[in-house]
Amino acid sequence: MDITIRKAGINDVDGIMSVERTGISHPWDKASIETTVKDDNKVCVVACAGEKITGYIYASFVLDEAEIGNICVLPELRGQGVGRKLMGELLNILKSVEVTRIFLEVESDNEGAIALYEKCGFVRYNERKDYYGKGRDALLYSCQI
């Protein structure tokens, strides 16, 4: 399957919502996704197979720091490099606006996401016990770009 990666626009909101519903237990509402796509201090990147959005990633940034909020790829395409392509494009865009450090948090049992982040150069620097609920820790990662 041929996947293209590009910056998201307002016309991508419904497709992003569709992807969120497949892989995130508490998906965002439409207004939140619209804000993410339109805000000058946020970057949203989508993966597409033809016209269909198959994944997305977004980050917010201030000065030289950014934080990744969400990344989600359709379940049937996970493990095929889509997340890595999304991350690569996001990092390129963030570099172009002079971001030098990126932060994120991930649930400790999300092995696929942890593997992706570590392949992309993120390093774990801390954790928050029970952040997502009893026994569900958040691992904190950062990456210098």
Side-chain angles (χ1 to χ4, degrees):
M1 180 178 299
D2 189 32
I3 301 289
T4 58
I5 307 294
R6 62 174 173 75
K7 193 169 179 185
I10 195 67
N11 293 334
D12 298 319
V13 170
D14 289 336
I16 292 168
M17 288 179 64
S18 179
V19 170
E20 272 224 344
R21 287 187 199 113
T22 70
I24 295 180
S25 55
H26 302 287
W28 284 13
D29 61 38
K30 188 170 186 169
S32 297
I33 294 173
E34 286 174 348
T35 299
T36 296
V37 171
K38 294 190 295 188
D39 190 320
D40 289 339
N41 286 88
K42 294 184 176 160
V43 175
C44 187
V45 176
V46 292
C48 303
E51 296 297 314
K52 181 181 179 181
I53 294 178
T54 57
Y56 82 98
I57 187 171
Y58 96 89
S60 56
F61 63 93
V62 176
L63 301 173
D64 64 344
E65 293 185 345
E67 181 176 7
I68 294 175
N70 283 350
I71 181 171
C72 189
V73 174
L74 290 176
E76 64 269 22
L77 295 177
R78 291 181 186 157
Q80 298 181 32
V82 177
R84 191 163 186 157
K85 288 179 183 178
L86 284 165
M87 182 70 76
E89 182 63 17
L90 178 71
L91 295 180
N92 287 337
I93 292 169
L94 291 173
K95 283 180 195 176
S96 76
V97 294
E98 300 181 1
V99 166
T100 60
R101 181 166 294 281
I102 304 172
F103 298 90
L104 63 85
E105 65 187 42
V106 60
E107 193 166 345
S108 58
D109 68 350
N110 192 340
E111 294 173 5
I114 291 167
L116 169 67
Y117 300 144
E118 290 178 354
K119 284 180 191 171
C120 291
F122 283 81
V123 176
R124 182 176 157 188
Y125 68 90
N126 208 343
E127 69 181 78
R128 293 182 179 135
K129 290 285 188 197
D130 301 327
Y131 184 78
Y132 294 105
K134 185 78 173 146
R136 299 173 58 210
D137 302 336
L139 305 180
L140 306 179
Y141 280 80
S142 71
C143 178
Q144 188 81 27
I145 59 171

